[in-house]
Amino acid sequence: MVESQNTQNQNSVCFRTMHLDEAVRHTLESYRGIGGYAQWERILRERPDPNDLIEEMKISNLRGRGGAGFPTGLKWSFMPRNAPGQKYIVCNSDEGEPGTCKDRDILRYNPHQLIEGMAIAGYCIGATAGYNYIRGEFYEPIARFEGALEEAYAAGLIGKDIQGSGIDFDCYSHMGAGAYICGEETALLESIEGKKGQPRFKPPFPAQYGLFGKPTTINNTESLASVPVILEKGGKWFLEQGRPNNGGLKLFSVSGHVNNPNNFEVPMGTPFRALLEMSGGVKDGKALKAVIPGGSSVPVVPGDLMMDVDMDYDSIAKAGSMLGSGAVIVIAEGTCMVKVLYNLSHFYMHESCGQCTPCREGTGWLARVLHRILDGEGRLEDLGLLDSVAGRIGGRTICALGDAAAMPVQSFLKHYRHEFAYMIEHGRSMMAA
Amino acid sequence: MTDKLNIEIDGRVCEAAPGEMIIAVADREGISIPRFCYHKKLSIAANCRMCLVEAEQGGRPFPKPVPACATPVGDGLKVWTRSPKAIEAQRGTMEFLLINHPLDCPICDQGGECELQDVAMGYGGDVSRFAERKRVVKDEDLGPLIATEMTRCIHCTRCVRFGAEVAGVRELGATGRGEEMRIGTFIAQTVEHELSGNVIDLCPVGALTSKPYRFTARPWELTMHDSIAPHDGLGSNIRLHVRRNQVMRIHPRDNEAVNETWISDRDRFSYAGLYSEDRLTKPMLKQDGSWREVEWTDALTLVAERLKAADAADTGWLMAPNATLEELYLAARVARGLGCANIDHRLRQQDFRGDAADPLLPWLGVTASELERQQAILLIGSDIRHEQPLLAHRIRKAALAGAQVVCVNPIKLELNHPATQLMGSPAQMLSDLAAIAKVLGARGSSAANDLIGAAEPTDAQTAAAAALREAGGQGGGVVLLGALAIAHPDFTLVKGLAHAIAAAAECRIGYLPAAANSLGAYLAGAHPDRLPGAKPSETKGGAVAEILDGTSKTLVLWGFEPDRDLIDTAAGMEAIGKADFVVACSAFRSAALDEMADVLLPISAFAETSGTFVNANGTWQRFQGAVAPPGEARPGWKVLRVLGNLLDLEGFEYRDGAEVQAELAALCTDSPLDNAPRGDFDASPASASGSGLMRVGTIPIYAADPLVRRSTPLQQMPMPRCELAVYLHPQQAAADSLGPGDIVYAQQGHQGARLRVILDDHVPMGCARISGALAGSESLGPLVGPVSLERVKNP
């Protein structure tokens, strides 16, 4: 039964323009054609109580799609919406988590739904201005989003006193400059403000002191793009697509050793087995060795364990990892896990912002020790060292990058310690044996 | 006290204010939590992660160790700073900090006073688990004051935050990411801010150290002596670090009421001037045009004879305003004991027509700590950052808290906070003030009323008046007069208008003291119509202008250089040259003193004598000598004591400086800190006459007094807008057919100097900015006065 629901409701939220011709699916006309901007225009007409809209969002159980999984409706309710002064809605399209490429395709194929979602969110939290912070490498998605903004302005869907409603909503795009850390919401705010991208210490949280010091809500692209559909079909409908506490559909970016790497929008709770099937199975018919189920920052899960996991927050947590951003990295049998971990650790060394001591110093230490092991200069005590250094980074930093750097190390050592030990003892990879 | 709450740290119940951070409570309770990035005067960065502690609130433990510097207290908070979890977190951070730190303590200047070294003793391991290559960072040259060894940097960003938050100029910043993060100046420039040296104290490691002090001593070799800085009117509390009778360096001493935790670079590095080669170390006598070293007895006997023989009416005493209270008092006693009331310390003032109306003891009007809580500040005639660097910081704090700062100045200032700057010629300054006064409906002397009547207030002047009135109504407004007001040819009228404005807007009025002991000079009686205790004298002596009008036959010059420290150096030197007998009491020799004086008496410089300075707040700050003066130089008060004995004056049997101070203090018990005028500031305007250019002469920050001028590191600092040159507004230059780089002959009176033209829109039309107190400026006339420029055809 689950299988049939999958095929039926696939691509029904953020990807609901996917069935249209690729050349035009991102245009205003296409979006209008599937009922786009109807929710926004209803709000402009009827000016419903924002609290009712937020309540609907809470019912939907939409959890932040950027990786942390914080309930979106609850986040909106933290905003002092009636406080005087400027407030902001910020969309986080700085999709930098290795393995993740879902927001890119929302920007490319359904940018208007994001604009509508941002406008609605702005209405709900009392913000008359929105920023979309887009990863700097996203040339085509940036062009698509900015094109959509022009169309929306030209059609009088955003701007000042929209359609005579007295409601203002201005929307701006802002390009990142290649720093992973700017995907962290407060570093992102610093970056928009023109400062060095470094996370802020919290509290104060952005809802009190955000962009330019004003109350701000930051949501992921997928979260915001889900909003118009949730309001159209109802929070209950959205919740029921998934499972209790794991509502809705979710975009999964399946990459790595699969035959058909792609983004799939499927209901929460879809078995991993089904998702792997949609991706065409493991490449070259090999066996599944491991999966990193939620982007590079989450713990790795051994393949045999993963095959019995469903793709939702709670099930993956039970398997010892996290749903994260929904980036499913598939690793086939025969892959050297030491090399994989070095690749990840090198990434975090490169992307640490340098602010907090444990992350600034520790990420480089981890990467160097791993590099030494790969060079055949490893020592058995390095395994304990890696574990201990990772433990001293995790939970000790301002933002979650420290945890993100630590978790892969700890989980790789937990599940594949023998591969590391083999390489240290033999000076070559176990996989080459 | 209802909003206090109790928290528990290491089992001890501590009282805390809501919102206070754990570390602040712990510090107050004497519970030590290691830290690097936290500093009580800077914003919270929470980046070093050294202060991690274990905590729980309402019985619920925090899942992770929390930074004590950034975790606010709340009801039911329990903190453990020494629990196994806390210690493990602190040790973890320590290990990370040390892996890339060079551990070159034996060759590091910070060794022995390094926060990292200290904390590593408690939290570091004895063997490093780090076996990879260490980071090496290229150094940057930050200028003559701050030495860098950036490989040692632990990225606490205290220096960066200091620049952004205290100095108001982001001279240092962080670039790069992760391990590649670097602290630097972005574009390799000298750090020039007048408070920049504080980053040396802030730096917890040896990354930023003092360049002049570098490699000269170890902290454990130094003895510390409390003292008071001898330059601006604030009297920053300092600590002299001395080794083998030599001042090696200077650090600030905390005093919230005065300098908080900061000192200016001038106060920090001027000590280097003590060791200049031109110290005067023997009493000297000029005979037949050549100098001869003599014994103190012979020198003083001669001086006593000549003073006694001289006509008191033709004798004058000129005292440096940063002489100690004891010196000023004894000098005033000797002078008046000989029947001479011609004694003054106001060396950079030219208009004395307002003396009769002056307050008895012109002080700041508000305390330094009150200054930062003002809502409106009218700053008249002050290059505040150069004159009073830390009072400028207080004003900045007020401005950042929302105060309206309005400047009426003959130059535009480079300020690091919002301010309305009304820039105009000295005559325009009077009009600006008159216009503000007019909006307020203020009335003053008849000359002031003429100006007020003629004024046509502009929007800016109207807004300034409104801000002052609003703040004044709430008791938060102050009008301040600075050095450029004092030097103004119509200081009397400036004062008159300022007092009128203050009265009408219900603001207080304050005088920025010209030097470290200007208030002390009034209290000591080093003023032609003040007796000790700042009491009015019935017999009025001659002020500086009269003493140097060319008729004085006998002159005593105390602690200053006539070619630098007078408002009109050309005329002043000419007048001194005409005198029959000139005694110069000085710590330094100079060509000008050699030429003009007949006797040179070597007196102690700063740090070599005990004494007292009375600061802008009116606070008496006594200090002890920390090192012996060089050669036969003697503390000034001792010289005057012996002179008093030789002159057979009564009551000169003092055993120590404290006794001198106590005697004066007894006379000062009812000295009022009251800036109310005692009469009308009435005088016809002098600055408006003539249509030619007016010189605007500021005193560059590092040229203020003889000691600073001899501090090599400070002299190496760039002095933007204060080089010896003529700064002209581009349009003014164009009107006079002058271009940048042209050489002109700047003439004041019958003398002048050849100077280069620099274009600068921070100078008003009708003015030429030519700094004083610089080598080469001595042949010029009044700091503020008419000047003519003539292009030198073939320079």
Side-chain angles (χ1 to χ4, degrees):
Chain A
M1 183 200 143
V2 169
E3 298 285 325
S4 65
Q5 194 190 13
N6 272 343
T7 39
Q8 187 194 333
N9 287 332
Q10 228 177 309
N11 295 352
S12 59
V13 181
C14 296
F15 273 9
R16 61 178 174 151
T17 55
M18 289 302 262
H19 63 286
L20 302 171
D21 179 5
E22 187 171 348
V24 297
R25 58 168 80 124
H26 59 276
T27 61
L28 179 59
E29 198 186 341
S30 302
Y31 185 58
R32 285 287 211 183
I34 57 164
Y37 285 114
Q39 294 308 308
W40 178 230
E41 287 183 322
R42 177 175 67 86
I43 288 169
L44 292 174
R45 255 190 336 270
E46 299 171 8
R47 306 191 55 135
D49 183 347
N51 290 323
D52 293 345
L53 302 178
I54 293 174
E55 204 44 48
E56 202 62 37
M57 292 302 296
K58 285 184 180 168
I59 291 169
S60 77
N61 192 249
L62 173 67
R63 292 172 60 171
R65 299 300 198 221
F70 193 84
T72 303
L74 189 59
K75 196 187 239 186
W76 290 4
S77 68
F78 293 153
M79 280 290 278
R81 68 172 312 280
N82 293 316
Q86 183 69 54
K87 290 172 278 292
Y88 295 102
I89 175 79
V90 172
C91 174
N92 184 348
S93 299
D94 189 49
E95 187 171 47
E97 181 74 7
T100 318
C101 51
K102 63 190 179 69
D103 298 336
R104 182 194 62 182
D105 282 0
I106 294 173
L107 294 169
R108 282 163 84 200
Y109 302 129
N110 199 5
H112 281 286
Q113 189 164 320
L114 175 59
I115 294 170
E116 185 178 7
M118 286 179 71
I120 295 171
Y123 177 79
C124 290
I125 63 170
T128 56
Y131 281 84
N132 187 11
Y133 187 96
I134 308 175
R135 180 176 173 162
E137 294 90 332
F138 279 0
Y139 302 115
E140 188 195 27
I142 289 166
R144 285 276 170 88
F145 182 78
E146 291 186 342
L149 271 186
E150 276 177 35
E151 280 187 305
Y153 267 110
L157 288 162
I158 52 175
K160 297 273 187 295
D161 187 20
I162 308 162
Q163 301 181 359
S165 63
I167 296 170
D168 297 339
F169 186 75
D170 281 299
C171 193
Y172 309 93
S173 60
H174 188 102
M175 263 191 281
Y180 171 70
I181 193 61
C182 290
E184 198 280 344
E185 59 179 20
T186 54
L188 183 153
L189 297 181
E190 293 279 300
S191 178
I192 295 181
E193 290 179 9
K195 300 171 186 159
K196 188 170 187 278
Q198 287 190 165
R200 298 177 183 169
F201 185 81
K202 287 143 282 190
F205 290 95
Q208 283 87 48
Y209 189 93
L211 186 60
F212 305 115
K214 305 293 180 195
T216 302
T217 291
I218 302 120
N219 288 123
N220 170 254
T221 313
E222 184 185 348
S223 308
L224 286 169
S226 304
V227 172
V229 177
I230 292 172
L231 294 190
E232 182 190 313
K233 301 191 176 171
K236 188 160 173 290
W237 171 86
F238 188 80
L239 173 66
E240 284 170 355
Q241 298 303 299
R243 293 173 169 182
N245 200 36
N246 296 275
L249 283 87
K250 170 84 188 87
L251 281 165
F252 291 100
S253 311
V254 184
S255 68
H257 299 143
V258 289
N259 284 312
N260 174 24
N262 207 344
N263 287 311
F264 304 96
E265 187 172 48
V266 294
M268 280 283 194
T270 301
F272 169 74
R273 196 182 288 273
L275 194 61
L276 185 61
E277 213 171 282
M278 287 182 214
S279 324
V282 181
K283 217 172 167 184
D284 303 332
K286 285 189 183 168
L288 180 69
K289 180 171 188 176
V291 175
I292 304 175
S296 67
S297 307
V298 308
V300 65
V301 181
D304 48 352
L305 184 57
M306 195 66 203
M307 286 309 272
D308 297 326
V309 172
D310 293 340
M311 298 304 289
D312 63 56
Y313 293 101
D314 297 340
S315 308
I316 298 182
K318 228 176 278 170
S321 189
M322 293 185 281
L323 181 98
S325 63
V328 181
I329 302 169
V330 176
I331 300 168
E333 202 51 76
T335 311
C336 173
M337 297 307 263
V338 185
K339 282 186 190 163
V340 175
L341 182 59
Y342 171 70
N343 191 20
L344 293 174
S345 290
H346 183 267
F347 173 80
Y348 290 107
M349 172 179 89
H350 188 63
E351 296 296 346
S352 166
C353 80
Q355 186 178 202
C356 306
T357 305
C359 175
R360 177 183 65 241
E361 307 293 345
T363 51
W365 193 357
L366 292 173
R368 281 183 178 78
V369 171
L370 286 165
H371 192 267
R372 194 157 45 72
I373 294 172
L374 282 175
D375 272 355
E377 303 284 326
R379 296 181 282 265
L380 270 178
E381 59 268 30
D382 284 341
L383 299 183
L385 179 67
L386 285 170
D387 212 24
S388 148
V389 170
R392 285 182 156 183
I393 301 173
R396 309 271 172 91
T397 52
I398 288 176
C399 79
L401 195 143
D403 304 299
M407 279 190 286
V409 174
Q410 289 166 321
S411 66
F412 272 65
L413 284 172
K414 181 176 159 200
H415 295 298
Y416 303 99
R417 196 179 192 89
H418 54 282
E419 285 193 34
F420 289 81
Y422 185 95
M423 188 174 275
I424 289 168
E425 278 169 25
H426 298 86
R428 60 192 155 82
S429 170
M430 196 174 175
M431 296 301 114
Chain B
M1 298 302 278
T2 49
D3 53 356
K4 291 279 182 188
L5 50 86
N6 284 327
I7 66 165
E8 198 183 299
I9 305 180
D10 294 342
R12 195 196 305 181
V13 177
C14 311
E15 194 175 70
E20 221 178 353
M21 299 302 166
I22 294 172
I23 206 167
V25 182
D27 281 356
R28 196 168 52 235
E29 296 284 333
I31 299 167
S32 117
I33 299 175
R35 88 285 306 269
F36 296 107
C37 69
Y38 174 78
H39 189 277
K40 61 181 178 182
K41 287 282 177 184
L42 300 175
S43 69
I44 287 163
N47 63 28
C48 79
R49 318 308 283 178
M50 193 62 218
C51 67
L52 293 173
V53 293
E54 190 184 348
E56 67 164 52
Q57 188 152 17
R60 286 173 47 195
F62 289 102
K64 302 185 247 183
V66 295
C69 70
T71 307
V73 299
D75 258 326
L77 182 74
K78 284 187 183 177
V79 178
W80 294 273
T81 70
R82 311 284 301 157
S83 68
K85 261 190 192 170
I87 295 275
E88 156 56 23
Q90 293 156 2
R91 285 183 172 277
T93 300
M94 193 71 230
E95 180 177 40
F96 287 131
L97 284 170
L98 291 179
I99 63 170
N100 275 309
H101 190 77
L103 305 182
D104 58 348
C105 309
I107 56 153
C108 174
D109 233 27
Q110 195 87 353
E113 54 181 357
C114 171
E115 292 177 46
L116 186 67
Q117 207 177 32
D118 293 348
V119 178
M121 289 298 290
Y123 300 88
D126 15 2
V127 178
S128 174
R129 299 193 292 169
F130 184 75
E132 323 308 318
R133 288 181 70 157
K134 286 196 178 223
R135 176 171 58 225
V136 176
V137 181
K138 205 174 159 223
D139 277 327
E140 231 180 301
D141 186 359
L142 299 185
L145 305 183
I146 303 166
T148 57
E149 191 64 59
M150 298 316 286
T151 303
R152 298 182 188 136
C153 174
I154 58 168
H155 309 88
C156 70
T157 70
R158 279 186 192 172
C159 57
V160 176
R161 283 175 284 148
F162 175 82
E165 295 160 18
V166 180
V169 181
R170 290 171 178 270
E171 290 185 305
L172 292 172
T175 54
R177 222 161 54 194
E179 295 185 341
E180 302 297 317
M181 177 163 152
R182 302 280 184 268
I183 303 296
T185 59
F186 303 119
I187 46 170
Q189 60 182 10
T190 298
V191 169
E192 333 185 316
H193 194 279
E194 64 276 9
L195 305 178
S196 69
N198 289 298
V199 300
I200 297 167
D201 303 336
L202 288 173
C203 183
V205 295
L208 305 176
T209 54
S210 164
K211 207 175 254 187
Y213 165 77
R214 183 149 81 139
F215 305 146
T216 58
R218 281 302 197 179
W220 55 84
E221 302 171 322
L222 303 170
T223 54
M224 291 194 259
H225 303 259
D226 290 355
S227 192
I228 302 298
H231 304 293
D232 59 51
L234 184 64
S236 288
N237 291 197
I238 54 175
R239 194 160 276 145
L240 310 175
H241 292 222
V242 173
R243 187 188 61 181
R244 293 197 290 273
N245 201 40
Q246 188 179 344
V247 179
M248 304 303 293
R249 63 174 178 183
I250 290 177
H251 277 179
R253 207 156 30 98
D254 280 14
N255 186 340
E256 276 303 308
V258 181
N259 51 308
E260 303 173 74
T261 55
W262 318 118
I263 54 172
S264 65
D265 290 357
R266 186 163 63 184
D267 292 346
R268 184 185 298 270
F269 294 108
S270 66
Y271 74 89
L274 293 172
Y275 305 104
S276 75
E277 286 179 358
D278 58 356
R279 284 300 300 266
L280 184 60
T281 54
K282 291 276 269 180
M284 316 237 345
L285 195 60
K286 185 152 60 182
Q287 278 180 329
D288 306 324
S290 62
W291 286 98
R292 189 167 65 85
E293 290 180 359
V294 292
E295 295 302 316
W296 266 109
T297 337
D298 299 339
L300 282 177
T301 309
L302 174 76
V303 170
E305 278 169 13
R306 295 294 299 256
L307 286 177
K308 203 181 261 181
D311 180 353
D314 293 339
T315 301
W317 289 67
L318 293 174
M319 305 296 295
N322 61 354
T324 66
L325 192 61
E326 292 75 0
E327 290 166 343
L328 292 161
Y329 173 59
L330 292 186
R333 280 203 59 205
V334 170
R336 290 212 165 79
L338 292 168
C340 168
N342 306 325
I343 179 166
D344 208 346
H345 68 280
R346 297 167 296 172
L347 306 181
R348 291 192 178 121
Q349 180 176 333
Q350 56 179 319
D351 175 14
F352 298 93
R353 293 172 292 172
D355 275 13
D358 271 347
L360 287 171
L361 180 59
W363 72 295
L364 193 58
V366 294
T367 63
S369 1
E370 280 174 327
L371 188 55
E372 70 184 54
R373 294 195 296 270
Q374 299 301 303
Q375 289 143 24
I377 298 169
L378 174 61
L379 190 60
I380 304 170
S382 174
D383 188 0
I384 186 79
R385 285 177 61 187
H386 277 205
E387 287 168 26
Q388 317 275 357
L390 281 171
L391 288 177
H393 169 57
R394 299 275 192 174
I395 292 175
R396 175 170 187 270
K397 281 210 236 176
L400 295 187
Q404 298 281 321
V405 177
V406 180
C407 304
V408 173
N409 256 330
I411 49 170
K412 190 172 168 201
L413 306 183
E414 201 71 61
L415 290 177
N416 43 18
H417 55 76
T420 305
Q421 298 205 44
L422 305 176
M423 172 177 75
S425 65
Q428 178 64 37
M429 285 172 70
L430 294 178
S431 315
D432 285 334
L433 293 174
I436 294 172
K438 186 171 197 171
V439 178
L440 293 165
R443 305 295 291 162
S445 63
S446 66
N449 289 343
D450 290 348
L451 287 164
I452 294 171
E456 289 170 20
T458 63
D459 289 350
Q461 291 156 345
T462 309
L468 286 169
R469 193 202 306 268
E470 192 188 336
Q474 296 162 16
V478 67
V479 177
L480 295 174
L481 293 155
L484 282 164
I486 295 174
H488 198 288
D490 285 314
F491 182 34
T492 306
L493 271 170
V494 172
K495 280 186 283 194
L497 288 165
H499 277 278
I501 289 170
E506 295 179 81
C507 290
R508 285 184 279 185
I509 186 156
Y511 291 79
L512 293 162
N517 209 16
S518 292
L519 263 69
Y522 281 87
L523 287 167
H527 183 286
D529 58 4
R530 293 289 185 287
L531 295 178
K535 294 182 176 64
S537 162
E538 288 184 7
T539 52
K540 187 183 177 315
V544 173
E546 249 172 280
I547 296 171
L548 291 179
D549 64 0
T551 59
S552 294
K553 299 276 182 268
T554 306
L555 285 170
V556 180
L557 314 179
W558 188 280
F560 72 95
E561 294 178 289
D563 55 336
R564 298 280 189 279
D565 295 314
L566 295 171
I567 187 156
D568 183 344
T569 42
M573 285 170 22
E574 207 176 309
I576 296 169
K578 282 186 192 163
D580 297 335
F581 183 69
V582 177
V583 185
C585 303
S586 172
F588 303 99
R589 266 185 100 160
S590 75
L593 285 178
D594 274 5
E595 191 193 319
M596 278 177 269
D598 298 286
V599 180
L600 288 171
L601 299 180
I603 54 171
S604 292
F606 157 72
E608 297 164 355
T609 177
S610 65
T612 306
F613 290 148
V614 183
N615 78 358
N617 289 347
T619 308
W620 291 43
Q621 301 194 103
R622 181 154 174 82
F623 51 88
Q624 295 300 323
V627 292
E632 290 183 26
R634 291 291 177 266
W637 72 269
K638 285 190 182 172
V639 173
L640 288 161
R641 176 200 186 275
V642 176
L643 191 61
N645 295 147
L646 290 171
L647 288 164
D648 296 324
L649 296 171
E650 272 179 34
F652 272 83
E653 310 306 327
Y654 308 101
R655 277 161 310 187
D656 54 30
E659 205 177 308
V660 180
Q661 194 225 33
E663 183 177 297
L664 177 58
L667 298 169
C668 294
T669 46
D670 55 351
S671 308
L673 285 177
D674 176 8
N675 280 342
R678 293 177 300 142
D680 266 357
F681 288 105
D682 207 8
S684 55
S687 55
S689 60
S691 56
L693 282 179
M694 284 293 272
R695 173 188 179 193
V696 175
T698 55
I699 303 300
I701 185 166
Y702 302 132
D705 55 53
L707 183 65
V708 169
R709 290 192 291 266
R710 285 170 173 79
S711 164
T712 309
L714 291 178
Q715 293 311 310
Q716 289 166 346
M717 288 293 279
M719 289 201 210
R721 301 207 154 94
C722 295
E723 288 170 48
L724 183 69
V726 181
Y727 292 83
L728 289 175
H729 193 282
Q731 286 168 20
Q732 183 66 47
D736 296 343
S737 310
L738 292 171
D742 284 357
I743 304 294
V744 293
Y745 186 72
Q747 187 164 346
Q748 287 188 284
H750 57 272
Q751 290 199 61
R754 276 184 165 210
L755 301 168
R756 185 165 51 99
V757 172
I758 298 177
L759 302 190
D760 182 4
D761 61 4
H762 281 42
V763 180
M765 293 297 285
C767 290
R769 181 174 183 175
I770 309 171
S771 291
L774 296 171
S777 69
E778 62 275 5
S779 56
L780 292 166
L783 288 174
V784 182
V787 62
S788 66
L789 302 179
E790 192 177 339
R791 177 153 30 178
V792 178
K793 290 281 167 9
N794 300 304

